[in-house]
Amino acid sequence: MAHEGSILTAADLAGNGARGDDPDVHGKFGIFGGRYVPEALIPALDEVAAVYEKAKNDAQFLREFDHLLRTYAGRPTTLTDVQRFSEQAGGARVVLKREDLTHTGAHKINNVLGQALLTKRLGKKRVIAETGAGQHGVATATAAALLGLECVIYMGAVDCERQALNVARMKLLGATVVPVTNGSQTLKDAINEAFRDWVTNVDTTHYLFGTVAGPHPFPEIVRDFARIIGVEARRQILELTGRLPDAVCAAVGGGSNAIGAFHAFIGDEGVQLHGYEAAGRGLESGEHALTLTAGSVGVLHGARTYVLQDDEGQTIESHSISAGLDYPGVGPEHAWLRDSGRATYHGVTDDQAMAAFSLLARTEGIIPAIESSHALAGALELGRELGPEATILVNLSGRGDKDMGTAMKYFNL
Amino acid sequence: MTNPTLAAGPVERHLRARRDTGRGLLMPYVTGGITPGWTDYLRAFVAAGADAIEVGLPFSDPTLDGVTIQQAGDTALARGASTRRILADLAGIPEPGVPLVASTYYNLVLHDGSEAFCAALRRAGVSGLIVPDLPLHEADELAEAAAAAGIELALLASPSTPEPRLAEISRRSRGFVYAVSLMGTTGERAALAASAAELTARIRRGTDRPVLLGFGISTPDQAREAGRHADGVVVGAAVMRRVLDGAGPDDLRAFLATLRRALDQECDAPR
């Protein structure tokens, strides 16, 4: 499909051109992924998969999604060469993909608009979603308002307090926010509660899952809707520099912005893929979210993947200064990319992330999300390693307005 | 067609034998490790007329459980309960006289490995297993390991399960078929869900394996009504709410005896 001004093609969405990396019919990426959910949800997951399969090859669906991405989300987002920041990265050329400039301020809007359109096709009038920092909740509430869907957001009671501003935004957008008071009262418990709602109301409700984790087909669908990030960036960086970058860097919590940035480059063997997880107060402290770098294989929230668990198999609570990375699981495709060696994952501490946060603000006048700051910190180190000839593409997944409370406390502002 | 009882394990043989006397089956649930002397509840369950007992191995993220079982699991974990300790407790009690069926989420199975997990159940005297987040397709590996260890892996069927899949679940389930009465989580409800009767009837069309109805069965009236459709009932949240409120084994024995009577009356009633 090639109509005037389109930014999205069927191939862009379906990931044609990337190398054999679609999950099998059971949603398995190697040994990872799958569907570890109650029988009750299997028909609903089958239905979502079937409706998506049809939609992604339907020109009308692509037109609608493309239209919303251009005229509502503000795509394509630009690349920005950050020269002053690059000086601190061993002189390597750091280029940012500016997802922070999208409507609602983060890459989450891409997936949400795609799934909201799917919700219409599913004939459902109600969406539920989990949220940690509140960004996915705000994006979901936004799309629900736009398309006239009832919206209920589950958010850990601890996170509701930490992110009061986003709770107010969701309410203003017409969503109901349900504080989750069981378990650790954070993102993982919000997901548990959303699954409980879904199994009860599955006839009327779509679970608008916010990351590339969860049962099949969510890891595939969310990836495809986030894929536009890397598709655009690949074209743009070829135009800007005349060649592919040496490395792509992104922060990894559940992993949607990273998969979105990586996926279009998976077939480009010369391009290194680096994911940065939250090392929190450091690996030794035990207070971190180093799922891929220090976790072990398990099943959490419907997928087999790397998880943080104790020696009895109970999930361990994660820690990160950024709520968006504070999750003890990770998308199964990342687990697969890790084990296959195609992508490399590293830890970035709270302090390293906050230093990069501050550095980008002071050298470039851009206040990044603390999540994205983990990737920036990683790029600083990687640049010193790769040297001044290298070009590093960093996915600036969101803006830092939501993080002012944390920044005020951290920097004593 | 082969006689299904020939291939049946001890759980299924036990449940079939009791059902065939015209008895409505009762399987109460207890969260392992919920109190220091938690195995005393098992004795009380048997004394009240339980036909099998479900022992929950608590997991940090119980996505299919409502608030009561969640609280019971959190309480047990906070007390230091673990799969190993719960199974050690079970290994230390006299043979209860009815089958013990463990239930837990798949991560705890995967963590130890299916073979080691099933062998540990076996050593503790457990003969059945329920894993609510393991749907048909994903169950292959565990089903094989369970069969090899002599553990009967009971599969769950839901009101939303379509016909061919339902038949496959009935065929591959061991011990009994766990019919989930409603679309939702575990927990007490005001009335038995309308979906319970229809699901049970659909399962029965494909198998004569015992069918136990669970989720939302908490009163004698509900047990009586469930007994009209299924071979028996699973009662979890109604038990655990009482335990969380401080009820001891004798209190639970008295409560379960009311369910036992309701099921017996239903079976004695003219059909």
Side-chain angles (χ1 to χ4, degrees):
Chain A
M1 82 147 220
H3 63 87
E4 190 96 65
S6 73
I7 55 172
L8 186 82
T9 68
D12 291 340
L13 193 63
N16 297 355
R19 232 173 13 180
D21 37 14
D22 267 334
D24 69 12
V25 290
H26 303 295
K28 290 286 169 72
F29 298 90
I31 65 160
F32 300 108
R35 282 180 176 178
Y36 298 89
V37 296
E39 270 299 330
L41 289 177
I42 295 291
L45 292 169
D46 279 343
E47 186 191 14
V48 173
V51 168
Y52 175 62
E53 196 56 35
K54 216 173 144 196
K56 77 177 181 187
N57 296 306
D58 176 353
Q60 177 61 28
F61 180 83
L62 289 165
R63 258 196 303 278
E64 288 170 24
F65 187 38
D66 179 276
H67 180 77
L68 286 180
L69 289 178
R70 278 186 294 120
T71 67
Y72 191 73
R75 304 207 72 89
T77 58
T78 188
L79 293 187
T80 301
D81 242 320
V82 284
Q83 287 166 10
R84 277 167 39 77
F85 181 85
S86 295
E87 288 167 16
Q88 307 296 313
R93 183 176 184 180
V94 176
V95 180
L96 305 182
K97 176 62 173 165
R98 300 290 306 279
E99 293 301 295
D100 60 317
L101 297 178
T102 55
H103 179 45
T104 71
H107 77 100
K108 293 281 187 195
I109 194 74
N110 303 313
N111 164 50
V112 159
L113 289 173
Q115 282 201 60
L117 289 175
L118 271 192
T119 305
K120 290 277 200 186
R121 294 199 159 211
L122 286 158
K124 295 185 173 173
K125 306 254 185 289
R126 178 176 180 265
V127 289
I128 55 172
E130 81 292 345
T131 197
Q135 290 307 101
H136 177 58
V138 167
T140 303
T142 299
L146 176 70
L147 297 179
L149 301 165
E150 184 192 343
C151 179
V152 176
I153 304 294
Y154 289 95
M155 187 166 181
V158 169
D159 289 336
C160 285
E161 205 161 304
R162 286 197 286 204
Q163 307 285 341
L165 198 64
N166 271 342
V167 174
R169 287 170 83 191
M170 289 183 266
K171 287 182 177 168
L172 192 62
L173 290 160
T176 303
V177 180
V178 181
V180 176
T181 54
N182 41 32
S184 61
Q185 308 190 17
T186 58
L187 177 59
K188 102 181 159 63
D189 305 284
I191 296 177
N192 291 341
E193 207 54 32
F195 270 114
R196 292 179 189 122
D197 179 315
W198 204 31
V199 78
T200 306
N201 301 300
V202 69
D203 280 350
T204 58
T205 301
H206 177 59
Y207 183 1
L208 210 157
F209 207 75
T211 189
V212 289
H216 175 67
F218 287 119
E220 185 184 355
I221 290 179
V222 177
R223 176 198 73 191
D224 287 357
F225 290 147
R227 221 182 155 271
I228 188 70
I229 301 168
V231 167
E232 280 178 12
R234 194 174 181 282
R235 284 181 206 141
Q236 290 166 323
I237 202 146
L238 281 170
E239 271 170 39
L240 180 72
T241 68
R243 64 181 186 91
L244 289 170
D246 296 282
V248 180
C249 297
V252 180
S256 60
N257 95 77
I259 280 288
F262 288 174
H263 201 256
F265 293 95
I266 285 178
D268 300 319
E269 281 175 26
V271 180
Q272 301 176 15
L273 305 175
H274 293 277
Y276 297 91
E277 297 189 300
R281 301 198 172 96
L283 177 61
E284 305 305 320
S285 73
E287 295 182 42
H288 57 76
L290 294 170
T291 312
L292 288 163
T293 36
S296 54
V297 176
V299 164
L300 181 66
H301 296 141
R304 186 166 175 160
T305 183
Y306 282 90
V307 298
L308 296 179
Q309 54 187 328
D310 67 16
D311 58 7
E312 300 277 358
Q314 307 290 348
T315 311
I316 296 175
E317 285 171 33
S318 53
H319 166 84
S320 169
I321 194 168
S322 95
L325 303 184
D326 196 352
Y327 179 56
V330 68
E333 191 165 3
H334 284 294
W336 185 75
L337 288 171
R338 170 201 186 276
D339 277 17
S340 71
R342 179 62 190 94
T344 313
Y345 298 86
H346 320 259
V348 168
T349 64
D350 289 350
D351 290 341
Q352 290 171 314
M354 292 311 286
F357 173 92
S358 164
L359 182 67
L360 190 73
R362 284 162 181 263
T363 55
E364 301 292 342
I366 297 170
I367 300 175
I370 300 177
E371 288 79 7
S372 323
S373 302
H374 287 70
L376 291 166
L380 290 173
E381 200 161 306
L382 187 65
R384 289 172 206 138
E385 214 173 279
L386 297 179
E389 300 305 312
T391 302
I392 299 173
L393 176 70
V394 178
N395 190 22
L396 196 72
S397 53
R399 60 177 171 245
D401 306 36
K402 69 180 174 60
D403 295 318
M404 282 307 108
T406 307
M408 282 164 72
K409 242 187 258 170
Y410 187 89
F411 294 112
N412 249 329
L413 302 174
Chain B
M1 197 175 151
T2 55
N3 182 347
T5 53
L6 288 180
V11 177
E12 183 167 338
R13 287 203 304 272
H14 176 88
L15 294 179
R16 275 179 184 275
R18 291 206 169 184
R19 174 188 69 180
D20 292 348
T21 66
R23 178 183 171 95
L25 304 172
L26 176 62
M27 182 163 82
Y29 165 97
V30 65
T31 301
I34 183 75
T35 59
W38 71 275
T39 53
D40 291 346
Y41 287 110
L42 305 187
R43 262 202 302 276
F45 291 179
V46 175
D51 300 292
I53 296 170
E54 181 182 350
V55 177
L57 307 173
F59 179 52
S60 52
D61 295 273
T63 48
L64 195 60
D65 283 307
V67 66
T68 305
I69 306 287
Q70 285 176 46
Q71 274 175 11
D74 288 348
T75 304
L77 289 173
R79 277 196 64 252
S82 70
T83 303
R84 266 184 278 280
R85 273 170 229 130
I86 290 167
L87 294 184
D89 289 347
L90 288 177
I93 60 168
E95 160 71 33
V98 301
L100 298 180
V101 178
S103 69
T104 195
Y105 288 83
Y106 188 55
N107 194 53
L108 296 192
V109 179
L110 185 67
H111 184 265
D112 292 345
S114 295
E115 280 176 29
F117 185 86
C118 291
L121 292 184
R122 193 74 200 147
R123 282 197 301 275
V126 173
S127 44
L129 176 60
I130 301 167
V131 185
D133 61 341
L134 196 65
L136 192 59
H137 172 75
E138 306 288 2
D140 291 354
E141 187 201 328
L142 178 57
E144 205 168 293
I151 298 290
E152 290 163 77
L153 178 65
L155 302 182
L156 292 84
S158 150
S160 67
T161 307
E163 222 44 76
R165 193 171 172 100
L166 192 66
E168 185 73 2
I169 288 168
S170 300
R171 192 176 68 74
R172 292 178 51 190
S173 192
R174 292 293 175 264
F176 54 91
V177 180
Y178 193 129
V180 177
S181 74
L182 48 76
M183 295 300 290
T185 56
T186 58
E188 297 171 89
R189 305 291 199 284
L192 187 69
S195 47
E198 195 203 330
L199 173 64
T200 316
R202 286 171 58 213
I203 296 171
R204 280 188 183 290
R205 280 201 287 274
T207 185
D208 76 335
R209 193 164 267 136
V211 178
L212 300 185
L213 196 56
F215 285 45
I217 296 159
S218 41
T219 67
D221 280 348
Q222 289 165 354
R224 194 176 294 122
E225 195 191 340
R228 259 171 235 149
H229 310 298
D231 296 310
V233 296
V234 186
V235 181
V239 170
M240 294 317 295
R241 181 173 54 79
R242 287 170 171 81
V243 172
L244 288 169
D245 287 347
D250 288 343
D251 303 316
L252 267 302
R253 177 180 168 166
F255 167 64
L256 289 171
T258 66
L259 299 182
R260 179 72 267 162
R261 276 196 297 277
L263 287 164
D264 290 346
Q265 281 162 10
E266 174 52 30
C267 290
D268 293 342
R271 303 218 172 193

